Coordinates of all heavy atoms in Angstrom, one line a residue:
M3 N 0.8 -1.2 0.0 CA 0.0 0.0 0.0 C 0.9 1.3 0.0 O 0.4 2.3 -0.5 CB -0.9 0.0 1.2 CG -2.1 -1.0 1.0 SD -3.3 -0.9 2.3 CE -4.1 0.7 2.0
N4 N 2.1 1.2 0.5 CA 2.9 2.4 0.6 C 3.2 2.9 -0.8 O 3.5 4.1 -1.0 CB 4.2 2.1 1.4 CG 3.9 2.0 2.8 OD1 2.9 2.5 3.3 ND2 4.8 1.3 3.6
F5 N 3.3 2.0 -1.8 CA 3.6 2.4 -3.2 C 2.5 3.1 -3.8 O 2.7 3.8 -4.8 CB 4.0 1.2 -4.0 CG 5.3 0.6 -3.6 CD1 5.4 -0.7 -3.0 CD2 6.5 1.3 -3.8 CE1 6.6 -1.2 -2.7 CE2 7.8 0.8 -3.4 CZ 7.8 -0.5 -2.9
T6 N 1.3 2.9 -3.3 CA 0.1 3.4 -4.0 C -0.1 4.9 -3.8 O -0.8 5.6 -4.5 CB -1.1 2.5 -3.7 OG1 -0.8 1.2 -4.0 CG2 -2.3 2.9 -4.4
G7 N 0.4 5.4 -2.7 CA 0.2 6.8 -2.4 C 0.6 7.2 -1.0 O 0.4 6.4 -0.1
Q8 N 1.2 8.4 -0.8 CA 1.6 8.8 0.5 C 0.5 9.6 1.2 O 0.7 10.0 2.4 CB 2.9 9.6 0.4 CG 4.1 8.8 -0.2 CD 4.4 7.6 0.7 OE1 4.3 7.6 1.9 NE2 4.8 6.5 0.0
D9 N -0.5 10.0 0.5 CA -1.6 10.7 1.2 C -2.9 10.2 0.6 O -2.9 9.5 -0.4 CB -1.5 12.2 1.1 CG -1.5 12.6 -0.4 OD1 -2.6 12.6 -0.9 OD2 -0.5 12.9 -0.9
L10 N -4.0 10.5 1.3 CA -5.3 9.9 1.0 C -5.7 10.2 -0.5 O -6.1 9.3 -1.2 CB -6.4 10.5 1.9 CG -7.8 10.0 1.8 CD1 -7.9 8.5 2.0 CD2 -8.7 10.8 2.7
A11 N -5.5 11.5 -0.9 CA -6.0 11.9 -2.2 C -5.2 11.2 -3.3 O -5.7 10.6 -4.3 CB -5.9 13.4 -2.4
S12 N -3.8 11.1 -3.1 CA -3.1 10.4 -4.2 C -3.2 8.9 -4.1 O -3.2 8.3 -5.2 CB -1.6 10.8 -4.1 OG -1.1 10.7 -2.9
F13 N -3.5 8.4 -2.9 CA -3.8 6.9 -2.9 C -5.0 6.6 -3.7 O -5.0 5.7 -4.5 CB -3.9 6.5 -1.4 CG -4.1 5.0 -1.3 CD1 -3.0 4.2 -1.1 CD2 -5.3 4.4 -1.4 CE1 -3.1 2.8 -1.0 CE2 -5.4 3.0 -1.3 CZ -4.3 2.2 -1.1
I14 N -6.0 7.4 -3.5 CA -7.3 7.2 -4.2 C -7.1 7.4 -5.7 O -7.6 6.6 -6.6 CB -8.4 8.0 -3.7 CG1 -8.8 7.5 -2.3 CG2 -9.6 8.0 -4.6 CD1 -9.7 8.3 -1.5
E15 N -6.3 8.4 -6.1 CA -6.0 8.6 -7.5 C -5.3 7.4 -8.2 O -5.3 7.2 -9.4 CB -5.2 9.9 -7.7 CG -6.2 11.1 -7.7 CD -5.5 12.5 -7.6 OE1 -4.3 12.5 -7.7 OE2 -6.3 13.4 -7.6
N16 N -4.5 6.7 -7.3 CA -3.8 5.5 -7.9 C -4.5 4.2 -7.7 O -3.9 3.1 -8.0 CB -2.4 5.5 -7.2 CG -1.5 6.6 -7.7 OD1 -1.5 6.9 -8.9 ND2 -0.7 7.2 -6.8
L17 N -5.7 4.2 -7.2 CA -6.4 2.9 -6.9 C -6.6 2.1 -8.2 O -6.5 0.9 -8.2 CB -7.8 3.2 -6.3 CG -7.9 3.1 -4.8 CD1 -9.4 3.3 -4.4 CD2 -7.4 1.8 -4.3
D18 N -6.9 2.8 -9.3 CA -7.1 2.0 -10.6 C -5.8 1.3 -11.0 O -5.8 0.1 -11.4 CB -7.5 2.9 -11.7 CG -9.0 3.2 -11.6 OD1 -9.6 2.8 -10.6 OD2 -9.5 3.8 -12.6
R19 N -4.6 2.0 -10.8 CA -3.3 1.4 -11.1 C -3.1 0.2 -10.2 O -2.6 -0.8 -10.7 CB -2.2 2.5 -10.9 CG -1.3 2.6 -12.1 CD -0.5 3.8 -12.0 NE -1.3 5.0 -12.0 CZ -0.8 6.2 -12.0 NH1 0.5 6.4 -12.0 NH2 -1.6 7.3 -11.9
L20 N -3.4 0.4 -8.9 CA -3.2 -0.8 -8.0 C -4.0 -2.0 -8.5 O -3.5 -3.1 -8.6 CB -3.6 -0.3 -6.6 CG -3.5 -1.4 -5.5 CD1 -3.1 -0.8 -4.2 CD2 -4.8 -2.1 -5.3
H21 N -5.3 -1.7 -8.8 CA -6.1 -2.8 -9.2 C -5.7 -3.5 -10.5 O -5.8 -4.7 -10.7 CB -7.6 -2.4 -9.2 CG -8.2 -2.4 -7.8 ND1 -8.4 -1.2 -7.2 CD2 -8.6 -3.3 -7.0 CE1 -9.0 -1.4 -6.0 NE2 -9.1 -2.7 -5.8
L22 N -5.2 -2.6 -11.4 CA -4.8 -3.2 -12.7 C -3.5 -4.0 -12.5 O -3.4 -5.1 -13.0 CB -4.4 -2.1 -13.7 CG -5.6 -1.4 -14.3 CD1 -5.2 -0.2 -15.2 CD2 -6.5 -2.4 -15.1
A23 N -2.6 -3.6 -11.6 CA -1.4 -4.4 -11.3 C -1.8 -5.7 -10.6 O -1.3 -6.8 -11.0 CB -0.5 -3.6 -10.4
V24 N -2.7 -5.7 -9.7 CA -3.1 -6.9 -9.0 C -3.9 -7.8 -10.0 O -3.7 -9.0 -10.1 CB -4.0 -6.6 -7.8 CG1 -4.4 -7.9 -7.1 CG2 -3.2 -5.7 -6.8
G25 N -4.7 -7.1 -10.8 CA -5.6 -7.9 -11.7 C -4.8 -8.6 -12.8 O -5.2 -9.6 -13.3
A26 N -3.6 -8.0 -13.1 CA -2.8 -8.6 -14.2 C -2.4 -10.0 -13.8 O -2.2 -10.9 -14.7 CB -1.5 -7.8 -14.4
A27 N -2.3 -10.3 -12.5 CA -2.0 -11.6 -12.1 C -3.2 -12.5 -11.8 O -3.0 -13.6 -11.3 CB -1.1 -11.5 -10.8
M28 N -4.3 -12.0 -12.1 CA -5.6 -12.7 -11.8 C -6.5 -12.8 -13.0 O -7.4 -11.9 -13.1 CB -6.3 -12.0 -10.6 CG -5.7 -12.1 -9.3 SD -6.7 -11.3 -8.1 CE -8.3 -12.2 -8.1
P29 N -6.3 -13.7 -13.9 CA -7.2 -13.7 -15.0 C -8.7 -13.9 -14.5 O -8.9 -14.6 -13.6 CB -6.8 -15.0 -15.8 CG -5.5 -15.5 -15.1 CD -5.4 -14.8 -13.8
G30 N -9.6 -13.1 -15.1 CA -11.0 -13.2 -14.8 C -11.4 -12.3 -13.6 O -12.6 -12.2 -13.3
A31 N -10.4 -11.6 -13.0 CA -10.8 -10.7 -11.9 C -11.7 -9.6 -12.6 O -11.4 -9.1 -13.7 CB -9.6 -10.1 -11.3
R32 N -12.7 -9.1 -11.8 CA -13.5 -8.0 -12.3 C -13.2 -6.8 -11.4 O -13.6 -6.8 -10.2 CB -15.0 -8.4 -12.2 CG -15.4 -9.5 -13.3 CD -16.5 -10.4 -12.8 NE -17.7 -9.6 -12.7 CZ -18.7 -10.0 -11.9 NH1 -18.6 -11.1 -11.1 NH2 -19.9 -9.3 -11.9
L33 N -12.5 -5.9 -12.0 CA -11.9 -4.8 -11.2 C -12.8 -3.6 -11.1 O -13.4 -3.2 -12.1 CB -10.5 -4.5 -11.7 CG -9.6 -5.7 -11.8 CD1 -8.4 -5.4 -12.6 CD2 -9.2 -6.2 -10.4
P34 N -12.8 -2.9 -10.0 CA -13.5 -1.7 -9.9 C -12.7 -0.5 -10.5 O -11.5 -0.7 -10.8 CB -13.6 -1.5 -8.4 CG -12.3 -2.1 -7.9 CD -12.0 -3.3 -8.8
S35 N -13.4 0.6 -10.7 CA -12.6 1.8 -11.2 C -13.1 3.0 -10.3 O -14.2 3.1 -10.0 CB -13.0 2.0 -12.6 OG -12.4 3.2 -13.1
F36 N -12.1 3.8 -10.0 CA -12.4 5.0 -9.1 C -11.8 6.2 -9.8 O -10.6 6.2 -10.3 CB -11.7 4.8 -7.8 CG -12.2 3.6 -7.0 CD1 -11.6 2.4 -7.0 CD2 -13.3 3.8 -6.1 CE1 -12.2 1.3 -6.3 CE2 -13.8 2.8 -5.4 CZ -13.2 1.5 -5.5
T37 N -12.6 7.2 -9.9 CA -12.2 8.5 -10.5 C -12.4 9.6 -9.5 O -13.5 9.8 -9.0 CB -13.0 8.8 -11.8 OG1 -12.9 7.7 -12.6 CG2 -12.4 10.0 -12.5
T38 N -11.4 10.4 -9.2 CA -11.6 11.6 -8.4 C -12.2 12.7 -9.2 O -11.6 13.1 -10.2 CB -10.2 12.0 -7.8 OG1 -9.7 11.0 -7.0 CG2 -10.4 13.3 -6.9
I39 N -13.4 13.1 -8.9 CA -14.1 14.1 -9.7 C -13.9 15.5 -9.2 O -14.0 16.4 -9.9 CB -15.5 13.7 -10.1 CG1 -16.4 13.5 -8.8 CG2 -15.6 12.5 -11.0 CD1 -17.8 13.2 -9.1
S40 N -13.7 15.6 -7.9 CA -13.2 16.9 -7.4 C -12.4 16.7 -6.1 O -12.6 15.7 -5.4 CB -14.5 17.8 -7.2 OG -15.1 17.5 -6.0
K41 N -11.6 17.7 -5.9 CA -10.6 17.6 -4.8 C -10.5 19.0 -4.2 O -10.1 19.9 -4.9 CB -9.3 17.2 -5.5 CG -8.2 16.9 -4.6 CD -7.0 16.3 -5.4 CE -5.7 16.4 -4.7 NZ -4.6 15.9 -5.6
A42 N -10.8 19.1 -2.9 CA -10.6 20.4 -2.2 C -10.0 20.0 -0.9 O -10.0 18.8 -0.5 CB -12.0 21.0 -2.0
P43 N -9.5 21.0 -0.1 CA -8.9 20.7 1.2 C -9.9 20.0 2.1 O -11.0 20.5 2.3 CB -8.5 22.0 1.8 CG -8.3 22.9 0.6 CD -9.3 22.4 -0.5
G44 N -9.6 18.8 2.5 CA -10.6 18.0 3.4 C -11.8 17.5 2.7 O -12.7 16.9 3.4
Q45 N -11.9 17.5 1.4 CA -13.0 17.0 0.7 C -12.6 16.4 -0.6 O -12.0 17.0 -1.4 CB -14.1 18.0 0.5 CG -15.4 17.4 0.1 CD -16.2 18.1 -0.9 OE1 -15.7 18.7 -1.8 NE2 -17.5 18.1 -0.8
L46 N -13.1 15.1 -0.8 CA -12.9 14.4 -2.1 C -14.2 13.9 -2.6 O -15.0 13.3 -1.8 CB -12.0 13.3 -2.0 CG -10.5 13.5 -1.6 CD1 -9.8 12.2 -1.3 CD2 -9.8 14.2 -2.9
M47 N -14.5 14.1 -3.9 CA -15.6 13.4 -4.5 C -15.1 12.3 -5.4 O -14.3 12.7 -6.3 CB -16.5 14.4 -5.3 CG -17.0 15.6 -4.5 SD -18.2 15.1 -3.2 CE -19.6 14.9 -4.2
V48 N -15.5 11.1 -5.2 CA -14.9 10.0 -6.0 C -16.0 9.2 -6.6 O -16.9 8.8 -5.9 CB -14.1 9.1 -5.0 CG1 -13.4 7.9 -5.8 CG2 -13.0 9.9 -4.3
E49 N -15.8 8.9 -7.9 CA -16.8 8.1 -8.6 C -16.3 6.7 -8.7 O -15.2 6.4 -9.1 CB -17.0 8.7 -10.1 CG -18.0 8.0 -10.9 CD -18.4 8.8 -12.1 OE1 -17.6 9.5 -12.7 OE2 -19.6 8.7 -12.4
Y50 N -17.2 5.8 -8.3 CA -16.9 4.3 -8.3 C -17.7 3.7 -9.4 O -19.0 3.8 -9.5 CB -17.3 3.8 -6.9 CG -17.5 2.3 -6.8 CD1 -16.5 1.4 -7.1 CD2 -18.7 1.8 -6.5 CE1 -16.7 0.0 -7.1 CE2 -19.0 0.4 -6.4 CZ -17.9 -0.5 -6.7 OH -18.2 -1.8 -6.6
R51 N -17.1 2.9 -10.2 CA -17.7 2.2 -11.3 C -17.4 0.7 -11.1 O -16.2 0.4 -10.8 CB -17.2 2.6 -12.7 CG -17.7 3.9 -13.1 CD -17.1 4.3 -14.4 NE -17.2 5.7 -14.7 CZ -18.3 6.2 -15.2 NH1 -19.3 5.4 -15.6 NH2 -18.4 7.5 -15.4
S52 N -18.3 -0.1 -11.4 CA -18.1 -1.6 -11.3 C -19.2 -2.3 -12.1 O -20.2 -1.8 -12.4 CB -18.3 -2.0 -9.8 OG -18.3 -3.4 -9.7
D53 N -18.8 -3.5 -12.6 CA -19.9 -4.3 -13.2 C -20.6 -5.1 -12.2 O -21.5 -5.9 -12.5 CB -19.4 -5.1 -14.4 CG -18.3 -6.0 -14.0 OD1 -18.0 -6.2 -12.8 OD2 -17.7 -6.6 -15.0
R54 N -20.2 -5.0 -10.9 CA -21.0 -5.6 -9.8 C -21.9 -4.6 -9.2 O -21.6 -3.4 -9.2 CB -20.1 -6.2 -8.7 CG -19.2 -7.3 -9.2 CD -18.4 -7.8 -8.0 NE -17.6 -9.0 -8.2 CZ -16.3 -8.9 -8.5 NH1 -15.7 -7.8 -8.4 NH2 -15.6 -10.1 -8.7
T55 N -23.0 -5.1 -8.6 CA -23.8 -4.1 -7.8 C -23.8 -4.6 -6.3 O -23.4 -5.7 -6.0 CB -25.3 -4.2 -8.3 OG1 -25.8 -5.5 -8.2 CG2 -25.4 -3.6 -9.7
G56 N -24.2 -3.7 -5.5 CA -24.4 -4.1 -4.1 C -23.2 -3.9 -3.2 O -23.2 -4.3 -2.0
L57 N -22.1 -3.4 -3.7 CA -20.8 -3.3 -3.0 C -20.6 -1.9 -2.3 O -19.6 -1.7 -1.8 CB -19.6 -3.7 -3.8 CG -19.5 -5.1 -4.2 CD1 -18.3 -5.4 -5.1 CD2 -19.5 -6.0 -3.0
E58 N -21.7 -1.1 -2.4 CA -21.4 0.3 -2.0 C -21.1 0.4 -0.5 O -20.2 1.2 -0.1 CB -22.5 1.3 -2.4 CG -23.9 0.9 -1.9 CD -24.7 0.2 -3.1 OE1 -24.1 -0.6 -3.8 OE2 -25.8 0.5 -3.2
Q59 N -21.7 -0.4 0.4 CA -21.4 -0.4 1.8 C -19.9 -0.9 2.0 O -19.2 -0.4 2.9 CB -22.4 -1.2 2.6 CG -23.8 -0.6 2.6 CD -23.8 0.8 3.2 OE1 -23.1 1.2 4.1 NE2 -24.6 1.7 2.5
F60 N -19.5 -1.8 1.2 CA -18.1 -2.3 1.3 C -17.2 -1.2 0.9 O -16.2 -0.9 1.7 CB -18.0 -3.5 0.4 CG -16.6 -4.0 0.1 CD1 -15.9 -4.6 1.1 CD2 -16.1 -4.0 -1.2 CE1 -14.6 -5.1 0.8 CE2 -14.8 -4.5 -1.5 CZ -14.1 -5.0 -0.4
V61 N -17.5 -0.5 -0.1 CA -16.6 0.6 -0.6 C -16.6 1.7 0.5 O -15.5 2.3 0.8 CB -17.1 1.1 -2.0 CG1 -16.3 2.4 -2.4 CG2 -16.9 0.1 -3.0
L62 N -17.7 2.0 1.0 CA -17.8 3.0 2.1 C -16.9 2.7 3.2 O -16.1 3.5 3.7 CB -19.3 3.1 2.5 CG -19.7 4.4 3.2 CD1 -21.1 4.8 2.7 CD2 -19.7 4.2 4.7
G63 N -16.9 1.4 3.6 CA -16.1 1.0 4.7 C -14.6 1.0 4.4 O -13.8 1.4 5.2
L64 N -14.3 0.7 3.1 CA -12.9 0.8 2.7 C -12.4 2.2 2.7 O -11.3 2.5 3.2 CB -12.7 0.2 1.3 CG -12.7 -1.3 1.3 CD1 -12.9 -1.8 -0.2 CD2 -11.5 -1.9 1.9
F65 N -13.2 3.2 2.2 CA -12.8 4.6 2.3 C -12.6 5.0 3.7 O -11.7 5.8 4.0 CB -13.8 5.5 1.6 CG -13.7 5.5 0.1 CD1 -14.9 5.4 -0.7 CD2 -12.5 5.6 -0.6 CE1 -14.8 5.4 -2.1 CE2 -12.4 5.6 -2.0 CZ -13.6 5.5 -2.7
D66 N -13.5 4.6 4.6 CA -13.4 4.9 6.0 C -12.1 4.4 6.6 O -11.4 5.1 7.3 CB -14.6 4.2 6.7 CG -15.2 5.1 7.7 OD1 -15.3 6.3 7.5 OD2 -15.6 4.5 8.8
G67 N -11.7 3.2 6.2 CA -10.5 2.6 6.6 C -9.3 3.4 6.1 O -8.3 3.5 6.8
L68 N -9.4 3.9 4.9 CA -8.3 4.6 4.3 C -8.1 5.9 5.0 O -6.9 6.3 5.3 CB -8.5 4.9 2.8 CG -8.4 3.8 1.8 CD1 -8.6 4.3 0.4 CD2 -7.0 3.2 1.9
I69 N -9.2 6.6 5.4 CA -9.1 7.8 6.2 C -8.3 7.6 7.5 O -7.3 8.3 7.8 CB -10.5 8.4 6.5 CG1 -11.1 9.0 5.2 CG2 -10.4 9.5 7.5 CD1 -12.5 9.4 5.3
T70 N -8.6 6.5 8.1 CA -7.9 6.2 9.4 C -6.5 5.8 9.1 O -5.6 6.3 9.8 CB -8.6 4.9 10.1 OG1 -10.0 5.3 10.2 CG2 -8.0 4.6 11.4
R71 N -6.3 5.1 8.0 CA -4.9 4.7 7.7 C -4.0 5.9 7.5 O -2.8 5.8 7.8 CB -4.8 3.7 6.5 CG -3.4 3.2 6.3 CD -3.3 2.3 5.1 NE -2.0 1.6 5.2 CZ -0.9 2.2 4.7 NH1 -0.9 3.4 4.2 NH2 0.2 1.5 4.8
F72 N -4.5 6.9 6.9 CA -3.7 8.1 6.6 C -3.8 9.1 7.8 O -3.4 10.3 7.6 CB -4.1 8.7 5.3 CG -3.6 7.9 4.1 CD1 -4.4 7.0 3.4 CD2 -2.3 8.0 3.7 CE1 -4.0 6.3 2.4 CE2 -1.8 7.2 2.7 CZ -2.6 6.4 2.0
G73 N -4.1 8.6 9.0 CA -4.0 9.4 10.2 C -5.0 10.6 10.3 O -4.8 11.5 11.0
A74 N -6.1 10.5 9.5 CA -7.1 11.5 9.5 C -8.4 11.0 10.2 O -8.5 9.9 10.6 CB -7.4 11.9 8.1
T75 N -9.3 12.0 10.4 CA -10.6 11.6 10.9 C -11.6 12.2 9.9 O -11.3 13.2 9.3 CB -10.9 12.2 12.3 OG1 -10.7 13.6 12.3 CG2 -10.0 11.5 13.4
G76 N -12.7 11.5 9.8 CA -13.7 12.1 8.8 C -14.9 11.2 8.7 O -15.2 10.3 9.5
D77 N -15.5 11.4 7.5 CA -16.8 10.8 7.3 C -17.0 10.6 5.8 O -16.5 11.3 5.0 CB -17.8 11.9 7.8 CG -19.2 11.3 7.8 OD1 -19.4 10.2 8.2 OD2 -20.1 12.1 7.3
V78 N -17.6 9.4 5.5 CA -17.8 9.1 4.1 C -19.3 8.9 3.9 O -20.0 8.3 4.7 CB -17.1 7.7 3.8 CG1 -17.2 7.5 2.3 CG2 -15.7 7.8 4.2
Q79 N -19.8 9.5 2.8 CA -21.2 9.4 2.4 C -21.4 9.0 1.0 O -20.5 9.4 0.2 CB -21.9 10.7 2.6 CG -22.0 11.2 4.1 CD -22.8 12.5 4.1 OE1 -23.8 12.6 3.5 NE2 -22.2 13.4 4.9
I80 N -22.5 8.4 0.7 CA -22.9 8.2 -0.7 C -23.6 9.5 -1.1 O -24.6 9.9 -0.6 CB -23.7 7.0 -0.9 CG1 -22.9 5.7 -0.6 CG2 -24.3 7.0 -2.4 CD1 -23.7 4.5 -0.6
A81 N -23.0 10.2 -2.1 CA -23.5 11.5 -2.5 C -24.6 11.4 -3.6 O -25.6 12.1 -3.6 CB -22.4 12.5 -3.0
E82 N -24.4 10.4 -4.5 CA -25.3 10.2 -5.6 C -25.2 8.8 -6.2 O -24.1 8.3 -6.3 CB -24.9 11.3 -6.7 CG -25.9 11.4 -7.7 CD -25.5 12.4 -8.8 OE1 -24.6 13.2 -8.5 OE2 -26.2 12.4 -9.9
H83 N -26.4 8.3 -6.5 CA -26.4 7.0 -7.2 C -26.7 7.4 -8.7 O -27.8 7.9 -9.0 CB -27.6 6.1 -6.7 CG -27.2 5.3 -5.6 ND1 -27.6 5.6 -4.3 CD2 -26.6 4.1 -5.5 CE1 -27.1 4.7 -3.4 NE2 -26.5 3.8 -4.1
K84 N -25.8 7.1 -9.6 CA -26.0 7.4 -11.0 C -26.4 6.1 -11.7 O -26.3 5.0 -11.1 CB -24.8 8.0 -11.6 CG -24.4 9.3 -11.0 CD -23.4 10.0 -12.0 CE -23.2 11.4 -11.6 NZ -22.5 12.1 -12.7
A85 N -26.7 6.1 -13.0 CA -27.1 4.9 -13.7 C -26.1 3.9 -13.6 O -26.3 2.7 -13.4 CB -27.5 5.3 -15.1
D86 N -24.8 4.3 -13.9 CA -23.8 3.3 -13.9 C -22.6 3.6 -13.0 O -21.5 3.1 -13.2 CB -23.3 3.0 -15.4 CG -22.7 4.3 -16.0 OD1 -22.8 5.4 -15.3 OD2 -22.2 4.3 -17.1
S87 N -22.8 4.4 -12.0 CA -21.7 4.7 -11.1 C -22.3 5.2 -9.8 O -23.5 5.5 -9.7 CB -20.7 5.7 -11.7 OG -21.3 6.9 -11.8
I88 N -21.5 5.3 -8.8 CA -21.9 5.9 -7.5 C -20.8 6.9 -7.1 O -19.6 6.7 -7.2 CB -22.0 4.8 -6.4 CG1 -23.0 3.7 -6.8 CG2 -22.3 5.4 -5.0 CD1 -23.1 2.5 -5.8
I89 N -21.3 8.1 -6.6 CA -20.4 9.1 -6.2 C -20.3 9.1 -4.7 O -21.3 9.2 -4.0 CB -20.9 10.5 -6.6 CG1 -21.4 10.6 -8.1 CG2 -19.8 11.6 -6.3 CD1 -20.3 10.5 -9.1
F90 N -19.1 9.0 -4.2 CA -18.8 9.0 -2.7 C -18.2 10.4 -2.4 O -17.4 10.9 -3.1 CB -17.8 7.9 -2.3 CG -18.4 6.6 -2.4 CD1 -18.5 5.9 -3.5 CD2 -18.9 6.0 -1.2 CE1 -19.0 4.6 -3.6 CE2 -19.4 4.7 -1.2 CZ -19.5 4.0 -2.4
E91 N -18.6 10.9 -1.2 CA -18.1 12.1 -0.7 C -17.3 11.8 0.5 O -17.8 11.3 1.5 CB -19.2 13.1 -0.4 CG -18.6 14.4 0.2 CD -19.7 15.5 0.5 OE1 -20.9 15.1 0.4 OE2 -19.3 16.6 0.9
L92 N -16.0 12.2 0.5 CA -15.2 12.0 1.7 C -14.9 13.3 2.3 O -14.4 14.2 1.6 CB -13.8 11.3 1.3 CG -13.8 9.8 1.0 CD1 -14.5 9.5 -0.3 CD2 -12.4 9.3 1.0
Q93 N -15.2 13.5 3.6 CA -14.8 14.7 4.3 C -13.9 14.3 5.4 O -14.2 13.4 6.2 CB -16.0 15.4 4.8 CG -16.8 16.1 3.7 CD -18.0 16.8 4.2 OE1 -18.9 16.2 4.8 NE2 -18.1 18.1 4.0
Y94 N -12.7 15.0 5.5 CA -11.8 14.6 6.5 C -10.9 15.7 7.0 O -10.8 16.7 6.3 CB -10.9 13.4 6.0 CG -10.2 13.8 4.7 CD1 -8.8 14.2 4.8 CD2 -10.8 13.8 3.5 CE1 -8.1 14.5 3.7 CE2 -10.1 14.2 2.3 CZ -8.8 14.5 2.4 OH -8.1 14.9 1.3
Q95 N -10.3 15.5 8.1 CA -9.4 16.4 8.7 C -8.1 15.7 9.0 O -8.1 14.6 9.6 CB -9.9 17.0 10.0 CG -11.0 18.0 9.8 CD -11.3 18.6 11.2 OE1 -11.6 17.9 12.1 NE2 -11.2 20.0 11.3
D96 N -7.0 16.2 8.5 CA -5.7 15.6 8.8 C -5.4 15.5 10.2 O -5.8 16.4 11.0 CB -4.6 16.3 8.0 CG -4.7 16.1 6.5 OD1 -5.1 15.0 6.1 OD2 -4.5 17.0 5.7
G97 N -4.7 14.4 10.6 CA -4.5 14.1 12.0 C -3.6 15.1 12.8 O -3.7 15.2 14.0
S98 N -2.8 15.8 12.1 CA -1.8 16.6 12.8 C -2.4 17.8 13.5 O -3.4 18.2 13.2 CB -0.7 17.1 11.8 OG -1.3 17.7 10.7
Ligands
HEM113 C1 -3.7 -3.1 -1.0 C2 -4.9 -2.8 -1.4 C3 -5.8 -3.5 -2.3 C4 -5.7 -4.7 -3.1 C5 -4.4 -5.6 -3.1 C6 -6.9 -4.9 -3.8 C7 -7.1 -6.0 -4.6 C8 -8.3 -6.3 -5.2 C9 -8.6 -7.5 -6.1 C10 -7.6 -8.5 -6.4 C11 -9.9 -7.4 -6.5 C12 -10.6 -8.4 -7.5 C13 -11.5 -9.4 -6.8 C14 -12.1 -10.3 -7.9 O1 -12.5 -9.9 -9.0 O2 -12.2 -11.5 -7.6 C15 -10.4 -6.2 -5.8 C16 -11.7 -5.9 -6.0 C17 -12.3 -4.7 -5.4 N1 -11.6 -3.7 -4.8 FE1 -9.7 -3.8 -4.2 N2 -7.8 -3.9 -3.5 C18 -7.2 -3.0 -2.6 C19 -7.7 -1.9 -2.1 C20 -9.0 -1.4 -2.4 C21 -9.5 -0.2 -1.9 C22 -8.8 0.8 -1.0 C23 -10.8 -0.1 -2.4 C24 -11.8 1.0 -2.2 C25 -11.6 2.1 -1.6 C26 -11.0 -1.3 -3.1 C27 -12.2 -1.6 -3.7 C28 -12.5 -2.8 -4.4 C29 -13.8 -3.2 -4.8 C30 -15.1 -2.4 -4.6 C31 -13.7 -4.4 -5.4 C32 -14.8 -5.3 -6.0 C33 -14.8 -5.3 -7.5 C34 -16.0 -4.4 -8.0 O3 -16.3 -3.4 -7.5 O4 -16.5 -4.8 -9.1 N3 -9.9 -2.1 -3.1 N4 -9.5 -5.6 -5.1

């Protein structure tokens, strides 16, 4: 995980690369895709795409875990359900 990013925003921006790297060794894996659609101090809007449904609470929990891992505190919400994607809103304060 250390190679994927040194802070929350860059880690999330590199999530697709991480999954592609892992997926290269796993034929048949169905990988998610994450796009940062906006980035402000303490706030990220991230679009999640998948060909699976029903994983949004799982993703929410993973984002929550990432906030903790990067020493921040915060909150994750589903901002919008779109036809083929879900927008997550992360609000956080750095731990220092
Ligand atoms: C070291 C970190 C991680 C590794 C090694 C990893 C690896 C993987 C692998 C191998 C799969 C494919 C499973 C399959 O198709 O059988 C997968 C799926 C998935 N990963 Fe990760 N992952 C990591 C971190 C994350 C994080 C931080 C998130 C979200 C914030 C995430 C979200 C997901 C989701 C939602 C899926 C299910 C596939 C889908 O949505 O269609 N992963 N991951």
Side-chain angles (χ1 to χ4, degrees):
M3 284 187 71
N4 289 337
F5 289 113
T6 303
Q8 297 301 324
D9 62 74
L10 182 64
S12 50
F13 187 91
I14 289 171
E15 280 171 0
N16 285 322
L17 264 182
D18 281 7
R19 231 168 300 185
L20 177 145
H21 281 102
L22 285 175
V24 178
M28 290 181 61
R32 290 150 68 203
L33 302 169
S35 171
F36 296 92
T37 309
T38 300
I39 54 178
S40 79
K41 186 173 159 183
Q45 195 218 35
L46 291 172
M47 303 293 284
V48 183
E49 181 163 35
Y50 160 62
R51 287 174 196 277
S52 169
D53 59 9
R54 295 187 174 98
T55 55
L57 291 178
E58 54 262 42
Q59 292 301 321
F60 170 66
V61 173
L62 202 140
L64 286 167
F65 281 136
D66 223 35
L68 284 182
I69 289 174
T70 305
R71 184 179 193 279
F72 285 99
T75 52
D77 190 42
V78 186
Q79 294 181 41
I80 294 175
E82 192 180 346
H83 276 100
K84 296 193 167 191
D86 61 355
S87 69
I88 300 174
I89 313 290
F90 288 83
E91 176 178 9
L92 285 71
Q93 287 181 296
Y94 59 98
Q95 286 187 304
D96 290 323
S98 50

